[in-house]
Amino acid sequence: MAESVCIVAEFRDGGFRRVSFEVASEGRRLADSLGLKLYGVVVGSGVGDKAQELAKYGVEKVFVADNPAFEHYIAETYVPAVAEMVRQCDPAVVLLPASMNGKDLSARLAARLEAGLAQDCVEIAVQDGKLRAKRPLFGGKCLGWYEWSDGEVAMISCRPKVMSCLEPDDSKQAEVVNVDVEIPDARSRVVSVDLDTSGKIELTEADIIVSGGRGMKGPENFAMLEELASLLGAAVGASRAAVDAGWRPHSDQVGQTGKVVTPSLYIAVGISGAIQHLAGMGSSKYIVAVNKDPDAPIFSKADYGVVEDLFKFIPVFTEEVRKL
Ligand code: FAD
């Protein structure tokens, strides 16, 4: 009988990424349902006392490998360290963030630990004592439930911003175990990191996104969306058509071959709603579409639809938002 549900937290640039707390909270709910302990694993540089932050979300014991060699995610150094610490947790279930690094890590870790992996899950449930995880398939066209054979370690990466965080409890303390892992010589190393210093809100972490498509007609018209976004505290995204036209950088692209986002509010402006775009934003909490074509497919997914020329609607809407 396994001992724990184990979560692998993502520590970067001196702090935990928020998705780590979502994963810890989901781990707590799962550990309670399965009658198991909740353990955490952290690999990073400068983790120190910050490991205790996971305790606020119900993690009872945290295994930490804190070393300057772990400043950047490099699979060759991270995977053996995480694998060793996960083994020490004796887990029935391992949860990780389905972030860019988390997806890479979980695939490699699953192979190393011979665990069954379900990537980018949006729901986890225990039914009649059996664990199940739900994930979008075929670019979001359908959802599939996954189950594991008895005795198999279940590994699940969780889509960011989908699973809710528990209310942090500052009174909780976790046992912290510092692990001295062996660090192999990596054949690759990070030479430099070019950070985006524009102060833009990262799309995958934004709570509100205003996205523009081919209907924007040209790069200069995105200034209108930038203005609205700054009033709403939102990030600006784009469809592939807008990116392929060179109007926006690829880092702004939402969709199957862009970013998967789950904001509370997604405002799609001049975007038709192709299946590949919906794959990236379909799980947003509320979707508002602005399109002059009443038959645009985006309206079948939208909670609120505005059938209007965006060049008439957006300036008026922006002025109304400014008054709030
Ligand atoms: P269009 O489909 O041309 O829609 C423009 C919309 O703007 C129309 O609905 C029109 O009615 C409206 N409009 C025009 N003028 C106005 C106006 N003045 N006021 C209001 N509305 C107006 N797409 C993505 O977005 N992300 C992806 O990651 C992605 N990956 C792909 C991967 C593959 C393998 C393939 C084959 C395609 C992928 N695509 C992706 C492309 C996708 O199929 C669509 O071509 C693309 O999403 C269309 O972008 P759009 O909605 O901006 O443009």
Short mmCIF file of all heavy atoms in Angstrom, two decimals, residues 245-271:
data_model
loop_
_atom_site.label_atom_id
_atom_site.label_comp_id
_atom_site.label_asym_id
_atom_site.label_seq_id
_atom_site.Cartn_x
_atom_site.Cartn_y
_atom_site.Cartn_z
N ALA A 245 0.10 36.82 -40.02
CA ALA A 245 0.17 38.05 -40.81
C ALA A 245 1.30 38.96 -40.32
O ALA A 245 1.57 40.00 -40.93
CB ALA A 245 -1.17 38.79 -40.73
N GLY A 246 1.93 38.58 -39.20
CA GLY A 246 3.04 39.38 -38.66
C GLY A 246 2.57 40.55 -37.82
O GLY A 246 3.34 41.43 -37.48
N TRP A 247 1.26 40.54 -37.44
CA TRP A 247 0.73 41.66 -36.65
C TRP A 247 1.11 41.54 -35.17
O TRP A 247 1.16 42.54 -34.47
CB TRP A 247 -0.80 41.72 -36.75
CG TRP A 247 -1.33 41.87 -38.13
CD1 TRP A 247 -0.61 42.21 -39.26
CD2 TRP A 247 -2.68 41.67 -38.57
NE1 TRP A 247 -1.43 42.24 -40.35
CE2 TRP A 247 -2.71 41.92 -39.96
CE3 TRP A 247 -3.86 41.32 -37.92
CZ2 TRP A 247 -3.89 41.81 -40.70
CZ3 TRP A 247 -5.03 41.23 -38.66
CH2 TRP A 247 -5.04 41.46 -40.04
N ARG A 248 1.26 40.30 -34.71
CA ARG A 248 1.57 40.05 -33.29
C ARG A 248 2.67 38.98 -33.22
O ARG A 248 2.78 38.14 -34.11
CB ARG A 248 0.34 39.53 -32.52
CG ARG A 248 -0.85 40.42 -32.59
CD ARG A 248 -0.64 41.76 -31.94
NE ARG A 248 -0.48 41.70 -30.49
CZ ARG A 248 -0.25 42.78 -29.73
NH1 ARG A 248 -0.15 43.98 -30.30
NH2 ARG A 248 -0.14 42.68 -28.43
N PRO A 249 3.46 38.97 -32.10
CA PRO A 249 4.48 37.93 -31.97
C PRO A 249 3.84 36.57 -31.70
O PRO A 249 2.72 36.50 -31.18
CB PRO A 249 5.30 38.39 -30.75
CG PRO A 249 4.37 39.27 -29.98
CD PRO A 249 3.46 39.91 -30.97
N HIS A 250 4.56 35.50 -32.01
CA HIS A 250 4.02 34.16 -31.79
C HIS A 250 3.70 33.91 -30.32
O HIS A 250 2.80 33.14 -29.98
CB HIS A 250 4.97 33.09 -32.33
CG HIS A 250 4.42 31.71 -32.16
ND1 HIS A 250 4.83 30.87 -31.14
CD2 HIS A 250 3.44 31.06 -32.83
CE1 HIS A 250 4.14 29.76 -31.22
NE2 HIS A 250 3.30 29.83 -32.22
N SER A 251 4.44 34.60 -29.42
CA SER A 251 4.20 34.39 -27.98
C SER A 251 2.78 34.83 -27.58
O SER A 251 2.30 34.49 -26.50
CB SER A 251 5.23 35.14 -27.15
OG SER A 251 5.23 36.51 -27.50
N ASP A 252 2.10 35.59 -28.45
CA ASP A 252 0.72 36.03 -28.15
C ASP A 252 -0.33 35.04 -28.66
O ASP A 252 -1.52 35.21 -28.39
CB ASP A 252 0.42 37.39 -28.82
CG ASP A 252 1.07 38.56 -28.08
OD1 ASP A 252 1.75 38.31 -27.08
OD2 ASP A 252 0.89 39.71 -28.53
N GLN A 253 0.11 34.05 -29.44
CA GLN A 253 -0.89 33.18 -30.10
C GLN A 253 -1.58 32.24 -29.13
O GLN A 253 -0.95 31.53 -28.35
CB GLN A 253 -0.22 32.35 -31.20
CG GLN A 253 -1.23 31.54 -32.01
CD GLN A 253 -0.58 30.75 -33.12
OE1 GLN A 253 0.30 31.28 -33.81
NE2 GLN A 253 -0.99 29.52 -33.30
N VAL A 254 -2.90 32.23 -29.22
CA VAL A 254 -3.72 31.34 -28.40
C VAL A 254 -4.24 30.23 -29.31
O VAL A 254 -4.71 30.51 -30.41
CB VAL A 254 -4.92 32.12 -27.79
CG1 VAL A 254 -5.88 31.18 -27.09
CG2 VAL A 254 -4.41 33.19 -26.83
N GLY A 255 -4.15 28.99 -28.84
CA GLY A 255 -4.72 27.90 -29.65
C GLY A 255 -3.89 26.65 -29.63
O GLY A 255 -2.93 26.54 -28.87
N GLN A 256 -4.27 25.76 -30.52
CA GLN A 256 -3.65 24.44 -30.58
C GLN A 256 -2.14 24.51 -30.77
O GLN A 256 -1.40 23.74 -30.18
CB GLN A 256 -4.27 23.69 -31.77
CG GLN A 256 -3.91 22.23 -31.85
CD GLN A 256 -4.58 21.61 -33.07
OE1 GLN A 256 -5.74 21.87 -33.35
NE2 GLN A 256 -3.85 20.80 -33.79
N THR A 257 -1.68 25.43 -31.62
CA THR A 257 -0.25 25.57 -31.84
C THR A 257 0.29 26.83 -31.16
O THR A 257 1.40 27.26 -31.44
CB THR A 257 0.07 25.60 -33.36
OG1 THR A 257 -0.91 26.42 -34.01
CG2 THR A 257 0.03 24.23 -33.96
N GLY A 258 -0.50 27.37 -30.25
CA GLY A 258 -0.08 28.52 -29.45
C GLY A 258 -0.21 28.16 -27.99
O GLY A 258 0.09 27.04 -27.60
N LYS A 259 -0.71 29.10 -27.20
CA LYS A 259 -0.81 28.85 -25.76
C LYS A 259 -2.21 28.38 -25.38
O LYS A 259 -3.20 28.79 -25.99
CB LYS A 259 -0.46 30.11 -24.99
CG LYS A 259 1.02 30.39 -25.08
CD LYS A 259 1.45 31.59 -24.28
CE LYS A 259 2.97 31.71 -24.35
NZ LYS A 259 3.43 33.06 -24.14
N VAL A 260 -2.27 27.54 -24.36
CA VAL A 260 -3.55 27.13 -23.79
C VAL A 260 -3.79 28.03 -22.59
O VAL A 260 -2.96 28.10 -21.69
CB VAL A 260 -3.51 25.64 -23.36
CG1 VAL A 260 -4.80 25.26 -22.67
CG2 VAL A 260 -3.27 24.76 -24.58
N VAL A 261 -4.91 28.75 -22.61
CA VAL A 261 -5.17 29.73 -21.54
C VAL A 261 -6.51 29.41 -20.86
O VAL A 261 -7.41 28.85 -21.49
CB VAL A 261 -5.19 31.17 -22.10
CG1 VAL A 261 -3.84 31.55 -22.67
CG2 VAL A 261 -6.27 31.35 -23.16
N THR A 262 -6.61 29.75 -19.59
CA THR A 262 -7.86 29.51 -18.86
C THR A 262 -8.18 30.73 -17.99
O THR A 262 -8.22 30.63 -16.76
CB THR A 262 -7.72 28.24 -17.96
OG1 THR A 262 -7.00 27.25 -18.67
CG2 THR A 262 -9.08 27.69 -17.58
N PRO A 263 -8.39 31.89 -18.60
CA PRO A 263 -8.70 33.07 -17.78
C PRO A 263 -10.14 33.03 -17.27
O PRO A 263 -10.95 32.22 -17.74
CB PRO A 263 -8.52 34.22 -18.79
CG PRO A 263 -8.87 33.61 -20.09
CD PRO A 263 -8.45 32.18 -20.05
N SER A 264 -10.46 33.94 -16.36
CA SER A 264 -11.86 34.07 -15.93
C SER A 264 -12.68 34.68 -17.06
O SER A 264 -13.86 34.36 -17.21
CB SER A 264 -11.96 34.98 -14.71
OG SER A 264 -11.18 34.48 -13.68
N LEU A 265 -12.06 35.59 -17.81
CA LEU A 265 -12.78 36.27 -18.90
C LEU A 265 -11.91 36.32 -20.15
O LEU A 265 -10.77 36.79 -20.09
CB LEU A 265 -13.13 37.70 -18.43
CG LEU A 265 -13.79 38.62 -19.46
CD1 LEU A 265 -15.12 38.07 -19.94
CD2 LEU A 265 -13.98 40.02 -18.87
N TYR A 266 -12.46 35.82 -21.27
CA TYR A 266 -11.75 35.86 -22.55
C TYR A 266 -12.61 36.66 -23.54
O TYR A 266 -13.75 36.28 -23.82
CB TYR A 266 -11.53 34.44 -23.07
CG TYR A 266 -10.64 34.37 -24.30
CD1 TYR A 266 -9.27 34.23 -24.16
CD2 TYR A 266 -11.16 34.44 -25.58
CE1 TYR A 266 -8.43 34.16 -25.27
CE2 TYR A 266 -10.34 34.39 -26.70
CZ TYR A 266 -8.97 34.24 -26.53
OH TYR A 266 -8.15 34.18 -27.63
N ILE A 267 -12.07 37.78 -24.03
CA ILE A 267 -12.83 38.61 -24.98
C ILE A 267 -12.20 38.41 -26.37
O ILE A 267 -11.05 38.79 -26.60
CB ILE A 267 -12.80 40.10 -24.57
CG1 ILE A 267 -13.28 40.26 -23.11
CG2 ILE A 267 -13.66 40.93 -25.51
CD1 ILE A 267 -13.23 41.69 -22.57
N ALA A 268 -12.95 37.75 -27.26
CA ALA A 268 -12.45 37.45 -28.61
C ALA A 268 -12.98 38.50 -29.56
O ALA A 268 -14.20 38.61 -29.75
CB ALA A 268 -12.91 36.06 -29.03
N VAL A 269 -12.07 39.26 -30.17
CA VAL A 269 -12.48 40.38 -31.03
C VAL A 269 -12.05 40.10 -32.48
O VAL A 269 -10.85 39.94 -32.75
CB VAL A 269 -11.83 41.70 -30.54
CG1 VAL A 269 -12.35 42.89 -31.33
CG2 VAL A 269 -12.09 41.91 -29.04
N GLY A 270 -13.03 40.00 -33.36
CA GLY A 270 -12.70 39.74 -34.77
C GLY A 270 -12.04 38.40 -34.97
O GLY A 270 -11.14 38.25 -35.80
N ILE A 271 -12.50 37.42 -34.20
CA ILE A 271 -11.97 36.05 -34.29
C ILE A 271 -13.15 35.14 -34.63
O ILE A 271 -14.21 35.22 -33.99
CB ILE A 271 -11.33 35.62 -32.94
CG1 ILE A 271 -10.06 36.43 -32.69
CG2 ILE A 271 -11.04 34.11 -32.90
CD1 ILE A 271 -9.37 36.15 -31.37
#
